[in-house]
Amino acid sequence: MKIKHLIAAFVVVLSVNNAFSQDKKFKVHTIAFYNFENLFDTINDPDTYDEEYTPVNGWTSKNYKKKLDNLSKVLIELGTSESQKNSPVIIGACEIENRRVLEDLVKHPTLINKGYKVVHFDSPDKRGIDVGFLYQEKHFQPTSYTNVPLYVYENESKEKSKSKDEADETEENVNYDKKTKRIYTRDQLLVTGLLDGEEINVIVNHWPSRSGGEKRSSPYREAAGRLNRKIMDSIIKINPNAKFITMGDLNDGAYNKSVKQGIGAKLKKEELKEPRDVYNPFEQMAKEGHASLFYRDSGDIFDQIMVSEQFISKDKNDYSTFKYWKAGIYNKPFLIQKTGQYKGYPLRNQNGVPGFSDHFPVYIYLLKEVK
């Protein structure tokens, strides 16, 4: 998606004649989310099903290094322009094996001068994939962080009515515990901190997959949406003026029940009536045909970033605190498959060659007036 006149700088001061009635100076920060698509190290962890990403199966140190090269290239350029050079101050991530891979990423020569730090917890996902949080220490200081587990179970009535193919797929799902019927999935990561002195709350998500079919797996993502809502409501109860951002690979579109009812996300800013309300800019983008991923030639936006009512300026001239400005999908040509069956898709890992990801990253801009 091409967005004119957008910026991704940290303390960049700019004039926005087109957006406001008079010249003002602003600072802008980029907040981003990226599914790293199987960022695994080369070490076989006996506690997870990571054998596919080990040297004996072709995932060599060379491949791992190439994957880090690719991801760092994206992150350093994500949302930037010729005149605004800073990468995102906050990056939510998913499909990472452990803290080690995030530490390797932020220490990559391309990124090391940005001063990124890491927040990470191990999730119960049996493949060993987690969510993570990267932040530029110069601009964001965490004050608290926690992982909130999502408990979902195979429904007994649906278990009895499943087709043989569906039953077989559940049996083969490494995240399914046949004894307890629990579906092990990623925790939701909540980070609270100060963005240039202003408190914000961020939830990073990677909701249950569509394994077994969209309809049958939907209750798990609906539960994830309700958990998101519960976390946000708990924040609002403590601080009615709290600002929160929820982001992630939701494995659902902005129109699905998990997002529309579970979180209660709104299509239009004008629909926001109270502090607990949430605006989802990616719903309109999906309606316009944009996509962050493709499956069987059908595009959708599973990668989304939503903001609370406190980030939406009711007075277009009031940017005394950080406010949401605009959103985008980062789909530069170097991230796109150029030939073959998957031409036009995100350039992912394939045929033993590390790519970037099977998802495009997404981002928003927060804007604040500089007096």
Side-chain angles (χ1 to χ4, degrees), residues 1-10 12 14 16 20 26-33 76-90 195 200 243 245 247 269 279 281-282 285 305-307 311-313 319 321-332 361-368:
M1 178 180 182
K2 295 181 179 179
I3 303 179
K4 296 181 179 179
H5 309 304
L6 288 186
I7 57 178
F10 59 118
V12 173
L14 67 156
V16 284
F20 303 97
F26 298 85
K27 75 165 76 170
V28 176
H29 284 309
T30 305
I31 311 295
F33 176 82
I76 199 69
E77 298 182 14
L78 178 51
T80 61
S81 69
E82 290 184 2
S83 57
Q84 289 81 34
K85 302 297 184 181
N86 197 42
S87 54
V89 294
I90 290 173
L195 179 62
I200 65 170
K243 289 183 170 183
I245 297 170
M247 61 168 71
K269 297 175 185 177
Y279 170 61
F282 291 90
M285 293 167 65
I305 305 175
M306 293 167 254
V307 300
F311 275 111
I312 303 302
S313 180
Y319 282 78
T321 62
F322 280 111
K323 302 292 185 179
Y324 164 84
W325 188 22
K326 294 186 179 182
I329 300 172
Y330 190 74
N331 55 2
K332 294 292 185 179
V362 295
Y363 59 95
I364 64 169
Y365 294 100
L366 299 181
L367 189 71
K368 183 177 183 178

Side-chain angles (χ1 to χ4, degrees), residues 40-103:
F40 280 74
D41 60 27
T42 61
I43 302 168
N44 188 356
D45 183 344
D47 296 326
T48 63
Y49 294 89
D50 65 347
E51 288 77 8
E52 180 182 356
Y53 289 92
T54 54
V56 70
N57 286 307
W59 190 247
T60 63
S61 295
K62 182 179 179 180
N63 282 343
Y64 177 54
K65 180 181 181 300
K66 178 62 175 175
K67 181 73 172 184
L68 293 175
D69 290 344
N70 288 348
L71 293 176
S72 62
K73 174 178 173 59
V74 176
L75 297 182
I76 199 69
E77 298 182 14
L78 178 51
T80 61
S81 69
E82 290 184 2
S83 57
Q84 289 81 34
K85 302 297 184 181
N86 197 42
S87 54
V89 294
I90 290 173
I91 303 167
C94 74
E95 289 204 21
I96 54 176
E97 183 181 11
N98 49 43
R99 184 183 184 92
R100 183 188 303 113
V101 298
L102 290 179
E103 295 286 0

Side-chain angles (χ1 to χ4, degrees), residues 201 229-244 274-277 308-310:
N201 305 273
R229 181 71 267 169
K230 183 178 180 180
I231 293 170
M232 291 186 282
D233 284 345
S234 68
I235 294 170
I236 291 293
K237 186 175 181 180
I238 297 170
N239 178 11
N241 296 314
K243 289 183 170 183
F244 49 86
E274 53 183 305
R276 74 185 299 273
D277 287 343
S308 65
E309 186 262 354
Q310 293 287 346

Side-chain angles (χ1 to χ4, degrees), residues 152-203:
V152 289
Y153 298 86
E154 180 67 50
N155 184 286
E156 286 290 345
S157 62
K158 291 185 179 181
E159 180 82 15
K160 294 176 182 178
S161 65
K162 286 188 301 183
S163 69
K164 182 179 183 301
D165 289 343
E166 289 176 324
D168 289 344
E169 186 162 355
T170 299
E171 293 294 314
E172 295 171 1
N173 185 352
V174 298
N175 285 322
Y176 175 62
D177 188 316
K178 290 185 285 186
K179 184 177 180 179
T180 65
K181 300 191 182 300
R182 181 180 174 185
I183 306 294
Y184 287 95
T185 187
R186 281 71 57 178
D187 295 338
Q188 297 183 7
L189 175 58
L190 171 63
V191 181
T192 298
L194 301 177
L195 179 62
D196 286 345
E198 185 174 317
E199 185 174 89
I200 65 170
N201 305 273
V202 182
I203 309 171

Side-chain angles (χ1 to χ4, degrees), residues 131-142:
V131 298
F133 183 94
L134 309 180
Y135 63 95
Q136 289 185 3
E137 190 177 28
K138 182 177 180 180
H139 298 288
F140 183 81
Q141 296 80 43

